Amino acid sequence: MASACCRPLLNSCCCGPFLKDCLSSLTDISPAELDALWREPPYTLGGANEHFSGNDIMTKGEGEEDDGPVVDPCEGGAEPDNYWKKKAALRGSTVSVGGKLSTDIELLFTGRRRSSEDPDAALQESLRTRLRVVESNSQDVIQLFKDLSARLVSIRAEKDSFVLTFKTVEEIWKFSTYLALGYVSRCLENFLCDQSFWLAPELLSDLQINVSVDEERLATLYLGLLLQEGPFFAKALFTRVDYNKDDEEQLSFQKNDLLMVRDTGQDSMWEGTMLSTGNHGLVPVHAMQPLPYPFYQWFLRNNPVNVGCSPAEKEPLQHAIVTGSCVAVVDYSPVGPDELQLSQGDIVEIQGLLVRGLDVFIATHSSTGHTGFVHKVHVKPLDTIPLDRRLVFLTAEERASLAQVNACSSEPSDNGLLERLFSSDISSVYRLDRLDETDFLYIRKRPKHDHKIPASTRHSVMSERSERASPYHFSPRTSVSMPSPRLSFYQSHNPLLPEGERLSFPVDDTFKEMDEFQEDPPLFFEENSWEGEDSEFSDPTLTLLNHEHFQEDFLPLYDLQCSFLWVTFSGKTEDELLAHLESVRESAKRMGLDWARRRACFLLGRLCARRLKLSQARVYYEEALGVRVDSFSDTPLVVALYTNLTAVYLKQRMTDKLPQTLEKASSLLLCLPCHTFTSTDEVELLQLLLRRSVVMGDKHLEARVCYLVSSLFLLRRKTDDALPFVERLQFLSLTLSATEGCPMVPLDLNWLLSWLYHCKYMPYLALASLSLDSRQDHSLNEGFKKIELFIRNSVRLNPCWNEGTSLLPAQIVIYLQQALILAEQGEDMQTQRALCQGLATVYLQYGTLEKAVLCAQQAVETGGHINEEERFEASVLLGWLLVLTGQAETAQSVLQPLLTSLQGTDSPTQRGVIHNLLALCLRRQGRIAEAGWHLHSASVISRESGNQRNQALALANLGCLALDVGAPLVAERFLVRSLHLFLELWESPIDEEHVQTYLWLGRSYKDRRRSQDSRACYEMGLLIALHARNLHSRMVVAKVLGRVYADMLLYGQSIVYYEHCVSVARELKDKRLEGEYLEILSTLYLTLNTERSSRKSLDYTKQSLRISIDLGKREEESETWLQVGRIYYLIQEDELADMYLQAAVKTALKMNDYHFALSIYEEAGDVYFKGARNRMASVPFYRDGSLPFARSIKDVHSEFRLLSKLTGLLMNQGEQEEALQYATLAVQISDKTGVHVNERTAYHRLATVYYNLEQYELAENYYLKSLSFCPPALQDPLEARYYTKLYCRLANVTLHRLKDPFDAVGYFHLALAAALEDRANPQALYVVYMKLAEIHGNHLPDAGLCRDYRDRAQSLKRVLAGEEGAAAVEENVKDADKDSAADRESLLITNCCFTCEDHLLVNAGIIQRDIEDGPRLDPFGPGTETTASQSYSDSILTESFDTAKEQISDCSSSTDTLQTHQNQADDKGFDTDYHTHSQIPDRLRSASQDTECDDQDEQKTP
């Protein structure tokens, strides 16, 4: 893989059958072997990335020499020793031209910081998240790569890559060019980075996106597509003359000859056509090297020139392009025109440039002063100076002129760019208050692109702008006056003219022809002045044309349109012109006027060439050159003659005469700076020179030719034709800059390319090249044009920006800052203030208020240097921003002086604005009365001035103030009056203010419990937002309505509005909001509790899950997986539920957050634990997931909670032995929690487990241990119920299992004491009475006590049951008789030996109190036996009654184990919790439920 290196797609010596074999089976050859196939070494790009952050493909080769053509080691007919020898072994597996070839390639991207060599993981994840978001709507991505000349196959967000494919060589060429120029990475940066990314300049300057492709794979695709497309171009690697003489089909060729070759299906031979001669024949495959750059293939295919040229031999010149002087090494007498005569040792000064790839250059003899052509073979360098390293292949004049090219200079100027983008009404329109943070959370102030402030309004509040105001404030484009046509040669003949001259490219008229001339040159003589008998001697044309030296008036003679003829001889036909010029030529010849003859012949030649009479034109051109004059006295003429004549030779294919003028014309084109084009046919000569540079591998020569070709096309307004050459020029600039030995800033053509892409409607590339523009010499006018260009292409990508319904793109901040820097350099205060206010507006739109305040402060400071008027507007904006940031005191300090300065002035609207803003400041400071006075003043001012909008806003703010102080009735009155005014302004852009007022009115009705009126207000607000097509307003109001109906439990209506919120979020392409609303919809549908609604809830939850995955929010993703699992469990699809719960757990584990993983494991287990089915499925989640995490992070509270859940679950499922293990661990960990109620619960649960295991003594011990943690005083009556049941269990176990009636009596007396405290549960008191009667009747006989307790029980029974109750009791008795033993067991409570001395004292006190309160029975008196028997019967009745009551009151509740602290927030001290009445019933109820469940289990105990 490669990202920063650049290389040609092909760098081999040949390709043939082995190529076809490797294309059919790429696994048969390693990448190293594939690379060895190419003889031309790969190119690398060293220092270019310091200035251009793109990834570069196909640049300068490591082994390629800069000072001459590539020398191949294979000379003569020797076959090179390479991998082509393997062709015999692979001959049987060839691929036809039409064979299928996999053309997929992977484009990888990485985000990194320039300050670090390592990738930035956070940036990479954000890019990956953004890619997942856009992956669901891949049309935008497809369009992006369509602009990049690639076809998108798939997106692999998790692998940070795109899979692309190519169908043609041209697609590979364009894509590789964009990749090399850095446009691919910049396009991805613009596409994937969030809008807020561009608002942080420090982050923007440090972060970048790098892209890379497999270059070997790309080269393979290039080769395959070359073969598939048919003929392609190659150059010969060596000379081939020793072929079989008898075989006429074979073709001879010289080294570096260019051929068009075609695969004929033979393994060793291709069909070739020589471009120089047109000869056909067979050529050896191993002798051909496909041209490595796709650009060459495209160029030669589209410009087939069948005339060859012999490349120059390797030269001793160290540098490709030099200036200075040379010395003659031989004597030379001229054999052709315009050549210098040399003697050995003569010194000549180079005129213009000496280019290494040309045989001839132009020089001036240092002794004679004559200027002419010099052959390089006759001289050697004497004092040569290479071009400045910043120039590489251009002169300083050419580089400066190239920087002035503007392809859109004639496009309609936007006379109000800043006003259109940032039109501010801050000083004329009141601002609406914010009641709290929830007011219009998503509604932000945005510019109304289609709304212009009426001029009358502006004039009423602002006086005329200062005459010193810069035109950039409202018109960033200033008119550029036409320069004078009379310029010096090197300036006026610049082919890339400065802005405002000939070069201009309107978007709509790209292909229109340019006007014949722009300014009429002066007429040199009157019409028909040559007519008459003596016209030959007095013809002013002869006088004009016979000037010996170049005159600026001759400029129209040599331009492309030959405007001299059509202006000077206007109204005459071409035939008349030809006749007249012919007479001028004859007269000049007879009179010996050599210069007039030469120029007349040139004009005649141009006219003939215009009429396609090439032979006649050639004769005139040759005659002109044959005239003996000092040709270089009129350099433009000699340039025009040689270039036009050579172009004619090329068209007529006169190979015999072409060498005589070709080198000289080439030197005139390439060596003289700022060439002036005289004919459109010069492009053919340039194409020939470009082909020479391809053959020689001379990148400097290629660069100069590309510069001239692109200049010619731009001059002719052929932007589509110019674009490939400008791209190639930029590419060569990067390449040559990187190979000069030290880092340098290459030629930056991104500014020109951005306009060319704009004209071709390629917005992604236009924005990418615009953002890569690094030139520092831009003018302020160009700075504004960059803003305009950015806006135009941004609108193409997102048309809603043009409609004013969305925020401006955040990237505009970059170009505004650049323009601000240019304005500061020019000290343009007016423009600086406007730009600062524009920046503040953009920052305000995106909520970056701190930066907005800084920009506004700078605008205030700059406005102060202009006049008070400009300072006033900026100060008002600053005050408003300070109000929004909560700096009310600072805002007041800014606004109060403004109000003071307006006293006594005729500016009522401005005073009203200040009053309104001051009221907002004062309200935030709690100074309500003063705020009301200021709002009243603002209302009065607006009413007196007739400004209904401001009056409505002031009344709305008064209503907001009333709501803030809790006066909804007063607020209603103000708000209703405001709404009446808003209705009269229906056509004005006040929808946000109108909607907000309705929301406040609805809030006032809600505070007064007028819900119907409140809903009507909200619905009216929604209608207004729908009418205004304001997406943000619609979302806010729909959300409010959804909440209102949900609070009223009208879930159907609530669902309708939240579904509208989802649709709006999708229109806004806000995935985060869409996911939030989908979650709300899921919850609402689940609340409906039907099969259909549950399925709908499941669908919305899955959509929310998809968004969470796309956004890369792991936590939300895991929770949504969990929610889907819950819903599947509710609809009884347990297998799918388990699958989604496992997915939730896996997602949580990827976060490496143990606390979060613990909670997800526990919540997944709770799905089963709290359900009615398959509860044991929760055990793995608790035991294998949450519990280990709780122990690893030492979260004792979570560990105790999980152990309690496991214990209770296993107890209920009958797994007592396993439950004992977890209960024991819970006891051990409860002490570490520091919460007494946890210890009490743990001991109680452990005692219950021992009771279920029939280990009663241990059960008694741990029940007593749990009681030791009880508070000394009752905190709630329900505590008494818990004590009653617990002591009853202890008494029953002691009595029936341990056979200790004495301890049982003590426990029952404690139960009696507790039951007496629980007056809400007299049934428990009845049970205790009957138990005591039973003990004193059977186990500790005492007839008196037995009868006393029985009488109390019967009395209580009658009170409880009455007549009907008695019948119910009798029925219960009958039922109890059927299974009395079982009923008794159901009332047994864990027995325990009560040994604590304090508890014995309590027992004694209770017993004594009971004895004193009731009649005493003698246990030894008569009737004891009867009493005991009756007591036993009553005991049975009591048990039955108690069982029925408890089953109704207690056992109907959940039997879950006690959950004292469900979360960390509940983990408080025992005393605090125990005094909280809201928590006590749950604790006691849980404990009593455990006891009751134990009673039920006891029924099964033998």
Side-chain angles (χ1 to χ4, degrees), residues 725-854:
F725 295 96
V726 178
E727 290 174 341
R728 184 66 180 172
L729 186 61
Q730 177 71 1
F731 170 74
L732 290 171
S733 173
L734 291 174
T735 304
L736 297 176
S737 300
T739 57
E740 290 296 320
C742 64
M744 66 187 68
V745 179
L747 179 67
D748 191 350
L749 297 176
N750 285 300
W751 172 234
L752 175 60
L753 282 169
S754 64
W755 280 109
L756 294 177
Y757 290 133
H758 170 71
C759 295
K760 205 170 180 181
Y761 208 95
M762 302 172 74
Y764 285 108
L765 286 171
L767 292 175
S769 54
L770 185 65
S771 63
L772 285 172
D773 178 29
S774 60
R775 279 176 43 200
Q776 303 297 322
D777 57 346
H778 282 298
S779 65
L780 181 59
N781 189 39
E782 289 177 340
F784 280 101
K785 287 181 180 178
K786 291 179 73 173
I787 299 174
E788 184 177 2
L789 182 63
F790 170 76
I791 290 296
R792 289 188 180 185
N793 287 277
S794 299
V795 167
R796 289 175 176 178
L797 294 177
N798 189 354
C800 67
W801 283 334
N802 194 37
E803 298 171 2
T805 58
S806 181
L807 306 178
L808 285 171
Q811 292 100 313
I812 197 175
V813 169
I814 301 172
Y815 304 103
L816 289 174
Q817 291 173 341
Q818 292 176 1
L820 179 59
I821 293 174
L822 294 173
E824 290 173 348
Q825 293 173 354
E827 298 183 357
D828 189 338
M829 294 297 179
Q830 185 79 10
T831 305
Q832 290 181 44
R833 187 200 64 81
L835 288 169
C836 288
Q837 288 193 197
L839 281 167
T841 303
V842 176
Y843 284 128
L844 174 60
Q845 291 172 1
Y846 284 93
T848 313
L849 298 179
E850 294 78 9
K851 293 182 179 179
V853 169
L854 294 177

Side-chain angles (χ1 to χ4, degrees), residues 34 129 193 201 339 424 559 1074 1146 1152 1225:
L34 183 63
T129 298
C193 291
E339 294 182 358
S424 176
D559 59 15
E1074 182 183 350
K1146 291 180 181 178
N1152 295 324
L1225 292 173

Side-chain angles (χ1 to χ4, degrees), residues 1230-1241:
S1230 63
D1231 181 54
K1232 299 179 181 179
T1233 63
V1235 181
H1236 292 296
V1237 93
N1238 287 351
E1239 298 180 66
R1240 171 185 171 187
T1241 304

Side-chain angles (χ1 to χ4, degrees), residues 302 475 710:
N302 288 275
S475 178
S710 59

Side-chain angles (χ1 to χ4, degrees), residues 1427-1439:
T1427 303
S1429 176
Q1430 187 175 0
S1431 175
Y1432 181 74
S1433 299
D1434 290 340
S1435 175
I1436 294 175
L1437 177 63
T1438 302
E1439 290 172 359

